Amino acid sequence: ETGVTQTPRHLVMGMTNKKSLKCEQHLGHNAMYWYKQSAKKPLELMFVYNFKEQTENNSVPSRFSPECPNSSHLFLHLHTLQPEDSALYLCASSPHAAVGADTQYFGPGTRLTVL
Amino acid sequence: AQTVTQSQPEMSVQEAETVTLSCTYDTSESDYYLFWYKQPPSRQMILVIRQEAYKQQNATENRFSVNFQKAAKSFSLKISDSQLGDAAMYFCAYMALGAGGTSYGKLTFGQGTILTVHP
């Protein structure tokens, strides 16, 4: 595997379910990100992790819970979601998330549908 | 707050022709970077080109070039000799550098422009 991978690629869940999205980067980067891409809206940054520490939470509802056990893996735990949370969730990584403006490398995304 | 605006929801171009995608941004910061990302259908988003605000020279990457007008806060992307593989959603994005050159990786994206390339 190369680059940034995400699993699953598609997920359908009910509002009472609990599920998790997984992201893995094989680039040796130290920063990882979650973005939400909704139809007809710009990509929204959700969370930033730098060296496993969360450095940004963009006012995301608590029903989204990120986890970064190491610099290569990032999870997004989902529970009691709403239909309006249906979107493409993108993971990205970059060498660092603080100094400078490193290029971010994106995964293919998880298409989430909440029924 | 910084905002990025792409006023063209859709654009089309004939193969081998040139097309320009528009982007404007609003910021009070003096030090920042601008990016164009490409998202092909069902494929990963990739960086097309980036521009440092302190550089007056416009960035170029093969068939892709930008027209960076700092005073006007404009950052357009020109695609020359368009190819079928250029068909994608194109996003303009902005990242500010704060004190000490810190960015915290915070990219702000525009709404995107869907580019269709006709054979």
Side-chain angles (χ1 to χ4, degrees):
Chain A
E1 294 275 16
T2 59
V4 181
T5 58
Q6 290 186 244
T7 54
R9 295 293 307 275
H10 300 271
L11 178 63
V12 179
M13 60 186 290
M15 289 190 285
T16 58
N17 291 158
K18 291 184 179 181
K19 296 287 185 182
S20 296
L21 310 185
K22 178 183 177 182
C23 175
E24 184 173 2
Q25 59 93 2
H26 309 268
L27 300 169
H29 291 166
N30 295 302
M32 297 188 77
Y33 311 80
W34 279 117
Y35 287 87
K36 176 182 180 182
Q37 186 176 15
S38 305
K40 300 182 180 179
K41 290 180 68 177
L43 273 80
E44 302 171 69
L45 178 65
M46 300 175 72
F47 301 103
V48 180
Y49 278 82
N50 200 32
F51 292 94
K52 303 188 298 178
E53 299 297 319
Q54 187 181 117
T55 56
E56 179 74 16
N57 177 338
N58 196 20
S59 302
V60 180
S62 60
R63 58 186 184 269
F64 295 91
S65 175
E67 178 189 2
C68 188
N70 54 61
S71 294
S72 298
H73 294 86
L74 184 65
F75 296 89
L76 188 62
H77 304 300
L78 317 170
H79 62 96
T80 59
L81 293 191
Q82 305 298 312
E84 58 265 29
D85 296 323
S86 299
L88 182 68
Y89 288 85
L90 294 172
C91 174
S93 72
S94 69
H96 303 91
V99 179
D102 289 339
T103 296
Q104 294 182 16
Y105 295 80
F106 286 81
T110 294
R111 175 69 63 186
L112 174 67
T113 302
V114 182
L115 302 176
Chain B
Q2 295 89 5
T3 58
V4 178
T5 302
Q6 294 178 247
S7 59
Q8 307 154 315
E10 298 183 31
M11 291 285 285
S12 65
V13 64
Q14 291 292 133
E15 198 175 4
E17 297 294 307
T18 296
V19 64
T20 298
L21 308 184
S22 301
C23 173
T24 58
Y25 58 96
D26 185 25
T27 183
S28 57
E29 302 287 343
S30 60
D31 196 6
Y32 54 87
Y33 286 71
L34 296 163
F35 306 82
W36 278 99
Y37 277 88
K38 167 186 176 182
Q39 187 179 38
S42 302
R43 295 183 64 185
Q44 291 168 244
M45 184 145 58
I46 59 172
L47 178 71
V48 175
I49 199 165
R50 57 184 277 160
Q51 173 82 42
E52 294 86 341
Y54 66 85
K55 289 187 177 179
Q56 293 187 334
Q57 187 173 8
N58 289 323
T60 62
E61 286 288 344
N62 300 314
R63 299 182 294 107
F64 298 87
S65 61
V66 299
N67 184 4
F68 174 48
Q69 301 290 327
K70 190 171 184 178
K73 295 181 182 176
S74 171
F75 183 61
S76 61
L77 175 69
K78 186 172 82 170
I79 305 173
S80 304
D81 185 25
S82 297
Q83 300 176 0
L84 295 177
D86 294 333
M89 174 85 88
Y90 285 81
F91 292 97
C92 179
Y94 163 97
M95 181 184 290
L97 296 185
T102 54
S103 67
Y104 301 104
K106 293 199 279 188
L107 267 176
T108 300
F109 283 86
Q111 304 94 315
T113 297
I114 298 172
L115 177 66
T116 302
V117 181
H118 298 289

Short mmCIF file of all heavy atoms in Angstrom, two decimals, chain A residues 6-44:
data_model
loop_
_atom_site.label_atom_id
_atom_site.label_comp_id
_atom_site.label_asym_id
_atom_site.label_seq_id
_atom_site.Cartn_x
_atom_site.Cartn_y
_atom_site.Cartn_z
N GLN A 6 -7.89 4.63 3.11
CA GLN A 6 -9.03 4.78 4.01
C GLN A 6 -9.94 3.57 3.87
O GLN A 6 -10.19 3.10 2.77
CB GLN A 6 -9.82 6.05 3.69
CG GLN A 6 -9.10 7.34 4.02
CD GLN A 6 -9.97 8.56 3.82
OE1 GLN A 6 -9.69 9.42 2.97
NE2 GLN A 6 -11.04 8.67 4.61
N THR A 7 -10.44 3.12 5.01
CA THR A 7 -11.42 2.03 5.01
C THR A 7 -12.50 2.32 6.03
O THR A 7 -12.24 2.97 7.06
CB THR A 7 -10.76 0.68 5.37
OG1 THR A 7 -10.06 0.82 6.62
CG2 THR A 7 -9.81 0.23 4.30
N PRO A 8 -13.76 1.93 5.76
CA PRO A 8 -14.19 1.39 4.47
C PRO A 8 -14.34 2.51 3.43
O PRO A 8 -14.28 3.68 3.77
CB PRO A 8 -15.56 0.79 4.82
CG PRO A 8 -16.07 1.68 5.90
CD PRO A 8 -14.87 2.08 6.72
N ARG A 9 -14.53 2.17 2.20
CA ARG A 9 -14.75 3.18 1.17
C ARG A 9 -16.20 3.66 1.17
O ARG A 9 -16.47 4.82 0.81
CB ARG A 9 -14.39 2.62 -0.21
CG ARG A 9 -12.92 2.30 -0.36
CD ARG A 9 -12.04 3.56 -0.33
NE ARG A 9 -12.48 4.55 -1.28
CZ ARG A 9 -12.12 4.57 -2.56
NH1 ARG A 9 -11.30 3.65 -3.03
NH2 ARG A 9 -12.58 5.52 -3.37
N HIS A 10 -17.11 2.78 1.57
CA HIS A 10 -18.52 3.15 1.66
C HIS A 10 -19.07 2.61 2.97
O HIS A 10 -18.71 1.50 3.39
CB HIS A 10 -19.32 2.55 0.49
CG HIS A 10 -18.84 3.02 -0.85
ND1 HIS A 10 -19.33 4.16 -1.46
CD2 HIS A 10 -17.91 2.51 -1.70
CE1 HIS A 10 -18.72 4.33 -2.62
NE2 HIS A 10 -17.86 3.35 -2.79
N LEU A 11 -19.95 3.38 3.59
CA LEU A 11 -20.54 2.97 4.87
C LEU A 11 -21.95 3.52 4.95
O LEU A 11 -22.18 4.71 4.73
CB LEU A 11 -19.70 3.49 6.03
CG LEU A 11 -20.20 3.18 7.44
CD1 LEU A 11 -20.22 1.68 7.67
CD2 LEU A 11 -19.33 3.87 8.48
N VAL A 12 -22.87 2.62 5.26
CA VAL A 12 -24.26 3.02 5.51
C VAL A 12 -24.57 2.64 6.95
O VAL A 12 -24.31 1.51 7.38
CB VAL A 12 -25.24 2.31 4.56
CG1 VAL A 12 -26.67 2.72 4.87
CG2 VAL A 12 -24.90 2.61 3.10
N MET A 13 -25.08 3.60 7.71
CA MET A 13 -25.36 3.32 9.11
C MET A 13 -26.64 4.01 9.55
O MET A 13 -27.03 5.06 8.99
CB MET A 13 -24.19 3.73 10.00
CG MET A 13 -23.82 5.19 9.94
SD MET A 13 -22.32 5.57 10.89
CE MET A 13 -22.90 5.35 12.58
N GLY A 14 -27.26 3.41 10.55
CA GLY A 14 -28.44 4.02 11.14
C GLY A 14 -28.03 5.02 12.20
O GLY A 14 -26.88 5.08 12.64
N MET A 15 -28.97 5.83 12.61
CA MET A 15 -28.66 6.91 13.55
C MET A 15 -28.25 6.38 14.92
O MET A 15 -27.58 7.08 15.68
CB MET A 15 -29.86 7.86 13.66
CG MET A 15 -30.06 8.71 12.42
SD MET A 15 -31.26 10.02 12.65
CE MET A 15 -32.78 9.07 12.60
N THR A 16 -28.59 5.13 15.24
CA THR A 16 -28.24 4.61 16.55
C THR A 16 -26.98 3.75 16.53
O THR A 16 -26.53 3.27 17.56
CB THR A 16 -29.40 3.78 17.12
OG1 THR A 16 -29.70 2.71 16.21
CG2 THR A 16 -30.65 4.64 17.30
N ASN A 17 -26.43 3.56 15.34
CA ASN A 17 -25.24 2.71 15.23
C ASN A 17 -23.99 3.40 15.74
O ASN A 17 -23.93 4.63 15.85
CB ASN A 17 -25.01 2.32 13.76
CG ASN A 17 -26.07 1.38 13.22
OD1 ASN A 17 -26.27 1.29 12.02
ND2 ASN A 17 -26.75 0.66 14.10
N LYS A 18 -22.95 2.57 15.99
CA LYS A 18 -21.61 3.06 16.25
C LYS A 18 -20.68 2.42 15.24
O LYS A 18 -20.67 1.20 15.10
CB LYS A 18 -21.14 2.68 17.66
CG LYS A 18 -21.85 3.38 18.79
CD LYS A 18 -21.23 2.98 20.12
CE LYS A 18 -21.92 3.69 21.28
NZ LYS A 18 -21.31 3.34 22.60
N LYS A 19 -19.94 3.25 14.56
CA LYS A 19 -19.00 2.76 13.55
C LYS A 19 -17.72 3.58 13.64
O LYS A 19 -17.68 4.63 14.26
CB LYS A 19 -19.59 2.89 12.14
CG LYS A 19 -20.83 2.04 11.89
CD LYS A 19 -20.49 0.58 11.76
CE LYS A 19 -21.74 -0.23 11.39
NZ LYS A 19 -21.44 -1.69 11.30
N SER A 20 -16.68 3.08 12.96
CA SER A 20 -15.41 3.80 12.92
C SER A 20 -14.85 3.84 11.52
O SER A 20 -14.95 2.87 10.77
CB SER A 20 -14.39 3.13 13.85
OG SER A 20 -14.81 3.19 15.19
N LEU A 21 -14.27 4.97 11.19
CA LEU A 21 -13.54 5.12 9.94
C LEU A 21 -12.05 5.03 10.25
O LEU A 21 -11.59 5.56 11.27
CB LEU A 21 -13.83 6.48 9.29
CG LEU A 21 -15.29 6.87 9.13
CD1 LEU A 21 -15.40 8.19 8.36
CD2 LEU A 21 -16.09 5.79 8.47
N LYS A 22 -11.32 4.39 9.34
CA LYS A 22 -9.89 4.21 9.55
C LYS A 22 -9.10 4.87 8.43
O LYS A 22 -9.49 4.83 7.27
CB LYS A 22 -9.54 2.72 9.61
CG LYS A 22 -8.05 2.44 9.78
CD LYS A 22 -7.78 0.94 9.75
CE LYS A 22 -6.28 0.65 9.84
NZ LYS A 22 -5.99 -0.80 9.76
N CYS A 23 -8.01 5.48 8.82
CA CYS A 23 -7.08 6.09 7.85
C CYS A 23 -5.68 5.65 8.20
O CYS A 23 -5.29 5.62 9.38
CB CYS A 23 -7.19 7.61 7.92
SG CYS A 23 -5.99 8.48 6.88
N GLU A 24 -4.90 5.31 7.17
CA GLU A 24 -3.51 4.93 7.38
C GLU A 24 -2.65 5.61 6.32
O GLU A 24 -3.00 5.63 5.15
CB GLU A 24 -3.36 3.41 7.28
CG GLU A 24 -1.96 2.91 7.57
CD GLU A 24 -1.88 1.39 7.63
OE1 GLU A 24 -2.90 0.72 7.42
OE2 GLU A 24 -0.77 0.87 7.89
N GLN A 25 -1.54 6.18 6.78
CA GLN A 25 -0.64 6.81 5.81
C GLN A 25 0.72 6.10 5.83
O GLN A 25 1.20 5.70 6.89
CB GLN A 25 -0.49 8.33 6.07
CG GLN A 25 0.03 8.72 7.44
CD GLN A 25 1.52 8.92 7.50
OE1 GLN A 25 2.22 8.80 6.49
NE2 GLN A 25 2.03 9.22 8.68
N HIS A 26 1.28 5.92 4.64
CA HIS A 26 2.51 5.18 4.45
C HIS A 26 3.61 6.11 3.94
O HIS A 26 4.50 5.69 3.18
CB HIS A 26 2.28 4.05 3.43
CG HIS A 26 1.09 3.19 3.75
ND1 HIS A 26 1.18 2.05 4.48
CD2 HIS A 26 -0.23 3.34 3.44
CE1 HIS A 26 -0.04 1.51 4.60
NE2 HIS A 26 -0.90 2.28 3.99
N LEU A 27 3.53 7.38 4.33
CA LEU A 27 4.42 8.40 3.81
C LEU A 27 5.43 8.88 4.84
O LEU A 27 6.23 9.78 4.53
CB LEU A 27 3.60 9.58 3.29
CG LEU A 27 2.62 9.23 2.16
CD1 LEU A 27 1.65 10.38 1.91
CD2 LEU A 27 3.37 8.87 0.89
N GLY A 28 5.36 8.35 6.05
CA GLY A 28 6.27 8.80 7.09
C GLY A 28 5.97 10.18 7.62
O GLY A 28 6.84 10.84 8.17
N HIS A 29 4.73 10.61 7.44
CA HIS A 29 4.32 11.94 7.89
C HIS A 29 4.03 11.97 9.38
O HIS A 29 3.80 10.93 10.00
CB HIS A 29 3.09 12.42 7.11
CG HIS A 29 3.39 12.71 5.67
ND1 HIS A 29 2.39 12.88 4.73
CD2 HIS A 29 4.56 12.89 5.02
CE1 HIS A 29 2.95 13.15 3.57
NE2 HIS A 29 4.26 13.16 3.71
N ASN A 30 3.97 13.18 9.93
CA ASN A 30 3.71 13.34 11.36
C ASN A 30 2.40 14.04 11.66
O ASN A 30 2.02 14.17 12.82
CB ASN A 30 4.85 14.14 12.00
CG ASN A 30 6.16 13.39 11.95
OD1 ASN A 30 6.27 12.28 12.47
ND2 ASN A 30 7.15 13.96 11.30
N ALA A 31 1.72 14.51 10.63
CA ALA A 31 0.44 15.19 10.83
C ALA A 31 -0.65 14.49 10.04
O ALA A 31 -0.42 14.02 8.92
CB ALA A 31 0.55 16.65 10.39
N MET A 32 -1.83 14.41 10.64
CA MET A 32 -2.97 13.79 9.97
C MET A 32 -4.22 14.63 10.22
O MET A 32 -4.32 15.32 11.24
CB MET A 32 -3.18 12.34 10.46
CG MET A 32 -2.00 11.44 10.14
SD MET A 32 -2.30 9.71 10.48
CE MET A 32 -3.31 9.24 9.05
N TYR A 33 -5.14 14.54 9.27
CA TYR A 33 -6.30 15.43 9.26
C TYR A 33 -7.56 14.66 8.90
O TYR A 33 -7.51 13.71 8.12
CB TYR A 33 -6.12 16.53 8.20
CG TYR A 33 -4.80 17.24 8.22
CD1 TYR A 33 -3.66 16.67 7.65
CD2 TYR A 33 -4.68 18.51 8.78
CE1 TYR A 33 -2.44 17.32 7.65
CE2 TYR A 33 -3.47 19.18 8.78
CZ TYR A 33 -2.35 18.58 8.21
OH TYR A 33 -1.15 19.25 8.21
N TRP A 34 -8.69 15.11 9.43
CA TRP A 34 -10.00 14.69 8.95
C TRP A 34 -10.71 15.90 8.36
O TRP A 34 -10.76 16.97 8.97
CB TRP A 34 -10.86 14.13 10.08
CG TRP A 34 -10.59 12.72 10.47
CD1 TRP A 34 -10.14 12.25 11.67
CD2 TRP A 34 -10.77 11.55 9.65
NE1 TRP A 34 -10.00 10.89 11.64
CE2 TRP A 34 -10.38 10.43 10.42
CE3 TRP A 34 -11.20 11.34 8.33
CZ2 TRP A 34 -10.43 9.12 9.92
CZ3 TRP A 34 -11.24 10.04 7.84
CH2 TRP A 34 -10.85 8.95 8.63
N TYR A 35 -11.29 15.68 7.16
CA TYR A 35 -12.11 16.68 6.49
C TYR A 35 -13.49 16.08 6.19
O TYR A 35 -13.62 14.89 5.96
CB TYR A 35 -11.51 17.10 5.14
CG TYR A 35 -10.27 17.96 5.21
CD1 TYR A 35 -9.01 17.39 5.31
CD2 TYR A 35 -10.37 19.35 5.16
CE1 TYR A 35 -7.87 18.17 5.35
CE2 TYR A 35 -9.24 20.14 5.19
CZ TYR A 35 -7.99 19.54 5.29
OH TYR A 35 -6.87 20.34 5.32
N LYS A 36 -14.49 16.96 6.11
CA LYS A 36 -15.82 16.57 5.69
C LYS A 36 -16.12 17.27 4.37
O LYS A 36 -15.96 18.49 4.26
CB LYS A 36 -16.86 16.97 6.73
CG LYS A 36 -18.30 16.67 6.34
CD LYS A 36 -19.26 17.16 7.41
CE LYS A 36 -20.71 16.88 7.03
NZ LYS A 36 -21.67 17.39 8.05
N GLN A 37 -16.56 16.49 3.37
CA GLN A 37 -16.92 17.06 2.07
C GLN A 37 -18.40 16.77 1.80
O GLN A 37 -18.78 15.66 1.48
CB GLN A 37 -16.05 16.48 0.95
CG GLN A 37 -16.29 17.14 -0.39
CD GLN A 37 -15.34 16.63 -1.48
OE1 GLN A 37 -14.68 15.60 -1.34
NE2 GLN A 37 -15.25 17.36 -2.57
N SER A 38 -19.21 17.80 1.97
CA SER A 38 -20.64 17.68 1.71
C SER A 38 -20.95 18.24 0.33
O SER A 38 -20.21 19.08 -0.18
CB SER A 38 -21.44 18.46 2.76
OG SER A 38 -21.10 18.05 4.06
N ALA A 39 -22.06 17.79 -0.21
CA ALA A 39 -22.48 18.26 -1.53
C ALA A 39 -22.69 19.78 -1.49
O ALA A 39 -23.29 20.30 -0.57
CB ALA A 39 -23.76 17.57 -1.96
N LYS A 40 -22.13 20.46 -2.48
CA LYS A 40 -22.33 21.90 -2.66
C LYS A 40 -21.78 22.74 -1.52
O LYS A 40 -22.22 23.87 -1.31
CB LYS A 40 -23.82 22.21 -2.89
CG LYS A 40 -24.40 21.54 -4.12
CD LYS A 40 -25.84 21.91 -4.35
CE LYS A 40 -26.39 21.20 -5.59
NZ LYS A 40 -27.81 21.51 -5.85
N LYS A 41 -20.85 22.19 -0.76
CA LYS A 41 -20.19 22.96 0.29
C LYS A 41 -18.69 22.76 0.19
O LYS A 41 -18.23 21.70 -0.25
CB LYS A 41 -20.67 22.51 1.68
CG LYS A 41 -22.10 22.87 1.99
CD LYS A 41 -22.50 22.39 3.37
CE LYS A 41 -21.79 23.10 4.47
NZ LYS A 41 -22.24 22.68 5.82
N PRO A 42 -17.91 23.74 0.60
CA PRO A 42 -16.46 23.54 0.58
C PRO A 42 -16.03 22.47 1.57
O PRO A 42 -16.74 22.20 2.54
CB PRO A 42 -15.91 24.92 1.01
CG PRO A 42 -17.03 25.86 0.86
CD PRO A 42 -18.28 25.09 1.05
N LEU A 43 -14.87 21.89 1.32
CA LEU A 43 -14.32 20.96 2.30
C LEU A 43 -14.16 21.67 3.64
O LEU A 43 -13.69 22.80 3.69
CB LEU A 43 -12.94 20.46 1.86
CG LEU A 43 -12.86 19.26 0.97
CD1 LEU A 43 -13.14 19.67 -0.46
CD2 LEU A 43 -11.51 18.58 1.07
N GLU A 44 -14.54 20.95 4.69
CA GLU A 44 -14.43 21.53 6.03
C GLU A 44 -13.41 20.74 6.82
O GLU A 44 -13.54 19.52 6.97
CB GLU A 44 -15.78 21.44 6.76
CG GLU A 44 -16.94 22.12 6.07
CD GLU A 44 -18.24 21.77 6.78
OE1 GLU A 44 -18.41 22.22 7.93
OE2 GLU A 44 -19.06 21.04 6.21
#
